[in-house]
Amino acid sequence: MKEASNLVLIGRFMRKNTRASWGTGVSRLGAREPSLCSKQINRGLEYVERGFSTLTRNLGLFIVPVVMDLISFLMGLATVGFVGEAAFTFKFSVNVGLLSIADILEHYVMMNGLVFNLDEGLGIMGPALLLFAVFMIFSAFVEAGFVGLLYDVVRRQSVSSGQFFAYAGRYWPRFLGLRLLILAFIFIGGLVSALVLSILGVLLFLVVFVILRIRYIYWEFTIVSEDMGVIDAFTRSREHFANRSHHLAGVIITILVSNFIFGLIFNGIWHPVVVFVGIFIYGYVASGLQLALMFTKPDLDIEAE
């Protein structure tokens, strides 16, 4: 009987402590602090909100990519026409610098598409290549001016058309060199990957390209904000990424998610009117995200007012 009594007491003690332990665990679970990842994302969303609030005070800024895309779209319609069919597809694109809706479209109906179909519409390869080259130079000119305006807005300086042309005139050769380097890397890297590993090689190359694009995400900004050449800015941007703040992850995730959503919508409802309207919507959203991204650049991470 004594042994039985002891067993009963032990059983009651274990049940009591088990309930207490379980209650403490639930209490701790409910009071658990947000993880580092969620903190980074939330902090990044604060920068996204900051970017859009800044854009609302400088609405003229997003007109630059919108006008550029309208010109590109009209030139595309005049040459290759509106081709392709609707498909719910998307692209993992991380836009930096001058934004374009072409980055998330499945079909190349705009003049600034990297795979612009040069043998359709114009019929003669020579004039098509010349037109493409002229547009690339013009794009570099506009991108230099646009990044310059982003830089001024982040530093809380007023912007004007005079400043746009000043930045564009000074930096367009560097942005043209940067575009040619990226184009050559995509062409050579994609071709070699496809020849060696076929489809798998292309997929692996796309993954590598996205990773490198993120690693050197401050490349374009550094050319203007620190007045550097293309190669020096390339090295310097890597240093900035190494010293990046934690909230950069949240901004990049927001860019990827927005491009994913817009890509599904615009490619799924494939129509000239949808692309035309989408140019304005995407131009506004992407410009706000560019401001958020530039705010995260370590030497430009100025506290909000």
Side-chain angles (χ1 to χ4, degrees), residues 151-178:
Y151 178 51
D152 281 347
V153 168
V154 167
R155 294 186 300 155
R156 300 171 185 160
Q157 296 185 5
S158 59
V159 297
S160 65
S161 58
Q163 290 171 282
F164 171 82
F165 286 107
Y167 280 116
R170 179 178 178 84
Y171 293 106
W172 77 265
R174 305 182 200 183
F175 277 88
L176 178 60
L178 183 149

Side-chain angles (χ1 to χ4, degrees), residues 128-194:
L129 287 173
L130 178 62
L131 183 61
F132 184 75
V134 170
F135 192 82
M136 177 171 283
I137 295 173
F138 179 62
S139 298
F141 182 86
V142 175
E143 182 174 30
F146 179 69
V147 173
L149 293 184
L150 288 175
Y151 178 51
D152 281 347
V153 168
V154 167
R155 294 186 300 155
R156 300 171 185 160
Q157 296 185 5
S158 59
V159 297
S160 65
S161 58
Q163 290 171 282
F164 171 82
F165 286 107
Y167 280 116
R170 179 178 178 84
Y171 293 106
W172 77 265
R174 305 182 200 183
F175 277 88
L176 178 60
L178 183 149
R179 282 172 169 257
L180 291 174
L181 281 176
I182 294 178
L183 184 61
F185 176 76
I186 292 175
F187 178 77
I188 297 173
L191 181 61
V192 172
S193 300

